Amino acid sequence: MKKDNINLVIAGTMALDSVITPFGQIKDGLGGSATYASLAASYFAKPAVVSIVGQDFPVEYFKLLQKHQIDLDGVERNGHTFRWSGSYEYDMSQAKTHQTELNSLEHFQPKLPLSYQQARYVFLANFDPSLQSIVLDQLDHGAFVLLDTMNYWIDTKRTALGEVIARVNMLVINEGEARQLCDSPNLIKAGRMMLDMGPEYVIIKKGEHGALFFSRHAFFSAPSYPLEELRDPTGAGDSFAGGLIGYLAHIGVVSESSIRRGIIYGSAIASCVVEDFSVKYRSSVTMSQIDERYKLFKKMMRY
Ligand code: AMP
């Protein structure tokens, strides 16, 4: 059967995560940047994933992704799955990484199926910047490309990261990593500096304090959802970005106002993710619950 062409591609990690927070723990839970992002995007679009897992990746995790209409033709299976373990202290704002086992990711050479190559929307989720570039090389020109990264790659692959930042339309990064990348304590300055690296748009995620959006002509500061139940912050950033790109792919227009709405949808989804471990939220939270949170943001931001 011939498949429809894909409109949204998400490249990143699919992982087995072991996480400890003050509210519990999970071993070998479903995680990874592409996993969180594609599940969030699937509220709006049919994402297709580029990633690699090992023979040890549980079948039920594939089934969960497929249940949400996520295309997995671009997922290779070889060796051992990427594993990440980490923990959070009471303030939950920063993960402490215990171990990163790259495993099959170390020798991964992403190959995009033909049906992915003309996607109009692409999210290069947190992953080795050299691999992010290889994915970009295989895409038709004219796609809208969003990029994420983390301190691990700023520490180990800064040159390759600079090269990929110069090629994308939008960069999303958390506040600590923005300060590290720009060597500046001031986030407004860092936002401007990152625009000078190439992207038209930059978003700095500030966890429980919301997000800052920068373009050459605009600035927007979004709050975060006033949550009382926070059990596991893992995946909030990936889900925020996945929700944003999913919304843009669904609307089919990138403008300042669609990005603002996408930021609020991304924040609403991220607020649901962190209420439980791993990706458990996806089996219970409906689109109308996300819409409820979106409406509350609207109310909160009126003055
Ligand atoms: P975050 O949205 O920043 O909380 O992302 C959490 C996810 O990132 C976890 O599910 C991890 O599996 C994944 N992760 C951790 N370290 C890395 C890394 N170096 N590269 C790509 N993904 C990672």
Side-chain angles (χ1 to χ4, degrees):
M1 195 174 67
K2 188 181 174 298
K3 281 199 166 181
D4 289 344
N5 271 346
I6 299 288
N7 190 35
L8 170 61
V9 165
I10 296 179
T13 52
M14 289 172 72
L16 298 177
D17 283 350
S18 295
V19 178
I20 303 177
T21 84
F23 307 101
Q25 54 182 292
I26 189 165
K27 189 162 165 27
D28 294 343
L30 175 55
S33 57
T35 303
Y36 278 107
S38 58
L39 282 168
S42 71
Y43 281 103
F44 301 105
K46 289 184 181 169
V49 174
V50 177
S51 192
I52 187 165
V53 296
Q55 307 298 345
D56 52 349
F57 193 78
V59 177
E60 64 266 28
Y61 289 174
F62 279 124
K63 286 193 179 147
L64 178 87
L65 294 163
Q66 280 161 338
K67 190 176 133 204
H68 294 288
Q69 311 229 351
I70 295 167
D71 187 295
L72 300 175
D73 286 356
V75 178
E76 218 179 288
R77 204 163 180 188
N78 199 354
H80 286 98
T81 304
F82 171 82
R83 279 168 193 261
W84 177 77
S85 60
S87 62
Y88 300 84
E89 303 288 337
Y90 255 110
D91 88 347
M92 307 264 247
S93 61
Q94 189 69 44
K96 182 167 173 249
T97 293
H98 297 179
Q99 213 170 10
T100 303
E101 296 171 51
L102 294 177
N103 296 333
S104 57
L105 199 64
E106 212 164 350
H107 305 289
F108 182 39
Q109 284 289 315
K111 252 182 251 80
L112 268 61
L114 261 184
S115 58
Y116 287 27
Q117 295 176 8
Q118 288 170 7
R120 307 316 296 157
Y121 293 85
V122 176
F123 178 32
L124 301 175
N126 176 29
F127 179 50
D128 183 331
S130 316
L131 300 183
Q132 291 174 320
S133 276
I134 295 175
V135 172
L136 262 187
D137 291 341
Q138 295 172 58
L139 289 160
D140 277 10
H141 293 291
F144 180 84
V145 183
L146 170 64
L147 176 81
D148 190 10
T149 192
M150 75 181 290
N151 50 4
Y152 184 89
W153 303 114
I154 301 173
D155 290 339
T156 59
K157 294 238 175 160
R158 193 184 268 254
T159 307
L161 178 60
E163 285 165 10
V164 73
I165 290 175
R167 298 175 65 192
V168 302
N169 302 86
M170 187 190 270
L171 171 65
V172 57
I173 189 163
N174 79 27
E175 58 180 320
E177 288 147 8
R179 290 191 176 101
Q180 182 187 358
L181 183 67
C182 299
D183 209 4
S184 163
N186 183 296
L187 292 180
I188 304 298
K189 235 189 219 166
R192 300 280 161 226
M193 287 167 80
M194 290 184 282
L195 287 174
D196 288 340
M197 295 177 193
E200 289 150 70
Y201 308 106
V202 169
I203 296 174
I204 301 181
K205 298 169 284 179
K206 300 199 303 157
E208 61 181 325
H209 303 297
L212 303 176
F213 165 74
F214 302 80
S215 75
R216 299 221 168 272
H217 314 288
F219 174 78
F220 171 57
S221 171
S224 70
Y225 187 83
L227 256 196
E228 293 195 18
E229 206 58 58
L230 197 169
R231 298 188 74 216
D232 174 15
T234 310
D238 306 316
S239 307
F240 166 85
L244 165 63
I245 196 81
Y247 179 75
L248 293 177
H250 166 65
I251 293 292
V253 176
V254 178
S255 63
E256 197 197 320
S257 68
S258 66
I259 294 171
R260 282 178 182 237
R261 290 193 303 271
I263 287 173
I264 300 302
Y265 268 120
S267 306
I269 296 172
S271 73
C272 298
V273 174
V274 301
E275 286 180 315
D276 210 337
F277 280 80
S278 182
V279 295
K280 286 188 189 156
Y281 83 103
R282 192 61 186 84
S283 307
S284 56
V285 176
T286 61
M287 187 63 222
S288 63
Q289 286 169 293
I290 305 279
D291 274 327
E292 280 305 307
R293 291 198 178 190
Y294 181 90
K295 281 187 205 138
L296 193 110
F297 268 101
K298 251 193 162 161
K299 257 198 199 154
M300 270 188 339
M301 294 169 80
R302 211 176 287 138
Y303 64 90

